[in-house]
């Protein structure tokens, strides 16, 4: 089995030290088979060569001269991964941001957990700036509810069985940072996986290093989140409830000044168009 990771970073941005911390946390798991796909944005060929030398040997370093949306970047990396070897049932897939990191032993415990439970398709945990360094196993896992998938999962703390990611396809290129929606790509991906997985689990502990999302970030990403929940509202009563809850959360953000009335109206209009809409997100073949 392999642990397959996908990360993109802007080499002209402020996260160089964070990115180095992530790479160091991946390097420590040298007893695992890891394939870490990294896409450098705003990068030159010199940048690519530098990071190819500095990164762990498990990293596949690609570069683009400009900026891409987060979904387009991930789809490009996922197409590269498929070209190398289609993720298999025993593989584990994750999408850590460049400011995320893994505690010592985390990736080994993660791989062991998916290996021991062949039915587990999705795992979500919590994040913290002081992640829990203790190990975990099957006894740490409880069933993941739909509202927990929606409210807790981010790219940093959601992990998938490889065959499941191969089956559900690409990230929606209309969602995420760098698109008009401004967000929602992670929530959409985890919902699609949750609906298809044989089992979805939660470890209700902060196991991954990353800042905890707050209400400011929730307001910033409200539009994309509402679009996603509208897409999936008909899939189950629990997701219908989450969609209506998000509408009222938006009212609160607007009333408290965290979001403009115009922004709220636009999000409602986008959500109405997304409600029950059909999308073609077949597995990528070639670059996004």
């Amino acid at each position: 089995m392999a642990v397959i990771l996908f990360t993109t970073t802007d080499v002209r941005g402020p996260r160089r030290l964070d990115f180095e911390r992530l790479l160091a946390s991946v390097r420590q798991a040298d007893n695992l088979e890891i394939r870490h796909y990294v896409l450098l944005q705003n990068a030159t060929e010199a940048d690519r060569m530098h990071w190819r030398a500095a990164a762990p040997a498990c990293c596949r370093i690609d570069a683009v001269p400009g900026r891409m949306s987060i979904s387009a970047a991930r789809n490009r990396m996922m197409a590269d991964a498929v070209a190398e070897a289609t993720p298999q049932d025993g593989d584990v897939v994750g999408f850590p941001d460049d400011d995320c990191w893994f505690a010592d032993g985390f990736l080994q415990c993660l791989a062991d957990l998916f290996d021991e439970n062949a039915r587990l398709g999705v795992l979500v945990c919590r994040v913290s700036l002081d992640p829990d360094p203790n190990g975990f196993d099957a006894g740490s896992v409880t069933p993941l509810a739909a509202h927990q998938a929606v409210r807790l999962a981010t790219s940093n703390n959601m992990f998938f069985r490889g065959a499941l990611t191969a089956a559900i396809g690409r990230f929606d290129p209309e969602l995420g940072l760098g698109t008009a929606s401004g967000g929602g790509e992670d929530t959409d991906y985890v919902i699609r996986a949750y609906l298809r997985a044989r089992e979805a689990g939660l470890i209700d502990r902060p196991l991954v290093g990353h800042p905890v999302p707050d209400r400011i970030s929730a307001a910033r990403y409200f539009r994309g989140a509402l679009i996603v929940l509208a897409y999936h509202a008909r899939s189950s009563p629990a997701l219908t409830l989450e969609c209506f809850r998000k509408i009222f959360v938006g009212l609160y953000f607007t009333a408290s000044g965290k979001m403009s009335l115009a922004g709220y109206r636009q999000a409602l209009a986008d959500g109405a168009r997304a409600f029950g809409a059909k999308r073609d997100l077949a597995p990528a073949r070639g670059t996004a």
Side-chain angles (χ1 to χ4, degrees):
M1 71 178 302
V3 175
I4 306 173
L5 304 173
F6 300 93
T7 301
T8 186
T9 188
D10 184 343
V11 298
R12 301 291 174 256
R15 291 183 174 178
R16 181 188 179 101
L17 294 179
D18 294 326
F19 180 50
E20 290 176 344
R21 178 178 57 184
L22 169 63
L23 295 180
S25 74
V26 172
R27 180 181 279 111
Q28 71 188 0
D30 55 4
N31 56 323
L32 286 173
E33 180 184 348
I34 298 176
R35 291 158 51 195
H36 191 179
Y37 295 86
V38 175
L39 179 62
L40 308 174
Q41 300 196 45
N42 276 331
T44 64
E45 177 62 15
D47 293 320
R48 189 178 70 84
M49 295 302 293
H50 166 79
W51 286 107
R52 175 174 285 183
C58 65
C59 289
R60 281 74 166 157
I61 307 293
D62 193 8
V64 292
R67 287 297 304 267
M68 304 172 70
S69 74
I70 186 68
S71 291
R74 288 180 184 154
N75 289 341
R76 177 180 174 125
M77 290 185 287
M78 291 170 75
D80 289 343
V82 169
E84 181 174 348
T86 301
Q88 300 298 305
D89 196 57
D91 298 335
V92 183
V93 175
F95 301 91
D97 287 338
D98 54 3
D99 61 343
C100 157
W101 75 97
F102 303 119
D104 189 14
F106 172 83
L107 292 176
Q108 182 66 63
C109 286
L110 182 71
D112 291 345
L113 182 61
F114 275 85
D115 186 48
E116 292 165 7
N117 183 355
R119 294 183 59 83
L120 183 64
V122 182
L123 182 74
V124 172
C125 63
R126 292 184 182 270
V127 298
S128 170
L129 290 174
D130 185 23
D132 185 343
N134 297 307
F136 55 92
D137 55 23
S140 309
V141 181
T142 58
L144 178 70
H147 74 273
Q148 293 169 323
V150 169
R151 301 180 202 178
L152 296 180
T154 71
S155 62
N156 304 292
N157 63 338
M158 60 184 195
F159 302 94
F160 308 92
R161 187 167 295 278
L164 182 59
T165 64
I168 64 176
R170 303 172 297 151
F171 281 80
D172 188 331
E174 300 300 319
L175 297 172
L177 293 174
T179 70
S181 69
E185 78 289 349
D186 298 338
T187 303
D188 179 59
Y189 201 83
V190 77
I191 290 175
R192 286 158 54 202
Y194 175 83
L195 292 171
R196 190 158 183 159
R198 288 179 291 175
E199 289 185 10
L202 169 71
I203 299 180
D204 198 12
R205 289 162 50 195
L207 299 175
V208 173
H210 191 265
V212 178
D214 56 21
R215 289 182 177 178
I216 294 175
S217 62
R220 183 183 309 125
Y221 302 136
F222 174 82
R223 181 180 179 185
L226 182 59
I227 292 171
V228 167
L229 291 172
Y231 276 138
H232 295 288
R234 295 180 180 180
S235 300
S236 74
L239 290 172
T240 302
L241 182 61
E242 286 300 301
C243 185
F244 280 109
R245 174 185 175 274
K246 181 61 72 172
I247 291 171
F248 286 105
V249 168
L251 278 175
Y252 164 75
F253 287 155
T254 304
S256 60
K258 294 180 174 64
M259 185 168 58
S260 70
L261 179 59
Y264 182 56
R265 286 175 172 170
Q266 183 63 60
L268 290 179
D270 291 342
R273 284 191 292 270
F275 182 69
K278 301 296 183 181
R279 295 178 293 168
D280 179 12
L281 298 173
R285 300 187 184 279
T287 58

